[in-house]
Amino acid sequence: GAVVSQHPSRVICKSGTSVKIECRSLDFQATTMFWYRQFPKKSLMLMATSNEGSKATYEQGVEKDKFLINHASLTLSTLTVTSAHPEDSSFYICSARDRGKMNTEAFFGQGTRLTVV
Amino acid sequence: DQQVKQNSPSLSVQEGRISILNCDYTNSMFDYFLWYKKYPAEGPTFLISISSIKDKNEDGRFTVFLNKSAKHLSLHIVPSQPGDSAVYFCAAVGGSQGNLIFGKGTKLSVKP
């Protein structure tokens, strides 16, 4: 099946620094990628929808200046957590759907465990 | 307000028996549903899906049933295996761009 690669799988950073997470679709083109966040014992919550070549659409309550999303190509979207705080520590997961195949499974990256100390 | 609900946070089943995971939704406009399996610190893995034009979809040991009138779907795993132990998420395709709306998940434990 289609593969979505997310990197890094785990990162520890100091408060105030920025962290970039990459999400790549390896064998298909994804005009749209999704970024989710999972809090402990909670569901996956959509943070933003990333569209190739245009601005991302953020869900209510998600700070766009804090969580910068860049979808520079049909196979790459990045999420940058700026000025990280300990409360940003979480599990971040990206997802992509094959271009033109809206009602099919969405493929997920491996996830990134972010710990801000 | 949760649009996709998994009311059982956990389920324990004996190996070889059937596991039944339930999911309810509130939005009658949802027309495509998916089940994902997730291990700790990993991304979800797609298991099986169903379109609203069907009421059943089967793939090996996994069968998903959809009851549109009740806005309810269920995932049946038979026979259950210890390797099936994971958190199972029910999701509906929602939103104008096809993002997934997830339930809170059900942790399945299959005991040998």
Side-chain angles (χ1 to χ4, degrees):
Chain A
V3 177
V4 174
S5 176
Q6 188 173 338
H7 178 81
S9 59
R10 187 172 299 209
V11 59
I12 301 173
C13 70
K14 292 184 177 180
S15 289
T17 61
S18 295
V19 174
K20 181 185 283 189
I21 303 169
E22 291 188 349
C23 181
R24 294 180 185 271
S25 57
L26 297 186
D27 52 2
F28 65 97
Q29 293 183 329
T31 52
T32 302
M33 289 185 177
F34 306 97
W35 287 95
Y36 296 85
R37 180 175 179 177
Q38 186 181 26
F39 294 97
K41 297 184 180 180
K42 298 287 186 182
S43 182
L44 292 150
M45 300 300 296
L46 180 67
M47 296 175 64
T49 302
S50 165
N51 296 292
E52 186 265 337
S54 64
K55 290 183 179 180
T57 304
Y58 291 81
E59 295 300 299
Q60 191 174 8
V62 178
E63 300 175 57
K64 61 181 180 181
D65 294 330
K66 179 165 187 61
F67 298 99
L68 299 179
I69 291 173
N70 186 348
H71 195 152
S73 75
L74 287 172
T75 59
L76 174 65
S77 175
T78 60
L79 168 68
T80 302
V81 182
T82 63
S83 188
H85 285 194
E87 55 264 33
D88 298 327
S89 298
S90 190
F91 192 62
Y92 294 86
I93 305 173
C94 72
S95 168
R97 186 175 278 113
D98 199 344
R99 183 181 187 180
K101 297 181 181 179
M102 290 299 285
N103 263 7
T104 61
E105 66 216 67
F107 300 99
F108 285 83
Q110 304 93 318
T112 298
R113 169 70 64 189
L114 170 63
T115 304
V116 183
V117 297
Chain B
D1 185 31
Q2 267 196 290
Q3 296 190 71
V4 178
K5 302 177 184 179
Q6 291 176 261
N7 292 319
S8 298
S10 63
L11 174 68
S12 183
V13 172
Q14 203 67 34
E15 181 180 6
R17 305 295 290 268
I18 185 171
S19 295
I20 301 177
L21 299 128
N22 293 303
C23 178
D24 297 292
Y25 60 96
T26 58
N27 191 336
S28 58
M29 298 299 291
F30 290 157
D31 60 5
Y32 196 78
F33 304 89
L34 309 95
W35 283 93
Y36 285 85
K37 177 180 180 180
K38 187 180 180 299
Y39 295 111
E42 292 185 12
T45 303
F46 170 76
L47 274 178
I48 194 168
S49 63
I50 190 166
S51 165
S52 61
I53 62 174
K54 294 185 174 182
D55 55 16
K56 177 183 175 182
N57 189 23
E58 192 172 353
D59 184 3
R61 296 187 297 117
F62 302 93
T63 304
V64 56
F65 295 93
L66 175 62
N67 183 335
K68 284 184 64 180
S69 60
K71 297 194 190 71
H72 176 84
L73 61 155
S74 60
L75 174 67
H76 292 210
I77 306 173
V78 56
S80 302
Q81 299 172 353
D84 296 330
S85 298
V87 177
Y88 289 77
F89 287 96
C90 169
V93 177
S96 59
Q97 302 210 61
N99 58 284
L100 298 180
I101 300 171
F102 287 89
K104 288 189 174 181
T106 297
K107 184 176 182 179
L108 174 66
S109 299
V110 181
K111 300 184 184 305

